[in-house]
Amino acid sequence: MDLSVATFWWVLAGVAVAAELATGTFYLLMIALGLVGAALAAHLGLSATLQVVTAAVVGGGATALWHWRRTVTEPSPEPVARNRDVNLDIGERVTVTAWEADHTTRVTYRGSSWQARRQPGVPEVTGLHIVQAVEGNWLVVAPLTH
């Protein structure tokens, strides 16, 4: 059984779609579009060089266009130290009983004693605080009423 060149491109496009379904990498669908373009070029009788160029231009162009669209329409995520999607400690409440001379404190959180410092620009007050960020093993806190 002889496979035509167009069938080769269609099979590659199918493999790219299957790989996308297995990995969830949407960019593989853009590559599959390029492979479909090459299959259509093969059906039109274009040379192998033009088929490869079509795959590269369509697939690469679709990938670049999709990436550009994502960067323009989606807001950039918070830095990891302040991103609640990454660190579930952010937004939790702790109680500050006293501040040290070096502007740090120790708080009990999740059954352990943690070092904490205040968020820049907020007053050093005691009482209920919110975890604003986690920097290494330090909690950055701000008063609840701030």
Side-chain angles (χ1 to χ4, degrees), residues 27-130:
Y27 289 106
L28 281 173
L29 287 180
M30 302 300 107
I31 300 300
L33 281 177
L35 296 170
V36 166
L40 294 175
H43 283 298
L44 292 173
L46 299 178
S47 69
T49 302
L50 287 177
Q51 293 170 28
V52 172
V53 168
T54 301
V57 169
V58 173
T63 302
L65 188 64
W66 181 255
H67 181 73
W68 173 80
R69 183 195 159 282
R70 284 190 58 210
T71 58
V72 169
T73 60
E74 294 180 8
S76 58
E78 287 281 329
V80 172
R82 293 189 303 267
N83 190 339
R84 179 141 172 92
D85 293 335
V86 176
N87 193 328
L88 296 178
D89 295 325
I90 297 167
E92 295 297 316
R93 296 176 182 203
V94 295
T95 302
V96 173
T97 56
W99 288 97
E100 301 294 329
D102 64 353
H103 309 291
T104 65
T105 187
R106 299 222 36 106
V107 296
T108 301
Y109 175 63
R110 291 191 291 155
S112 304
S113 180
W114 288 67
Q115 292 178 307
R117 58 179 163 248
R118 66 183 168 89
Q119 183 178 19
V122 300
E124 280 184 9
V125 296
T126 59
L128 205 53
H129 284 64
I130 301 284

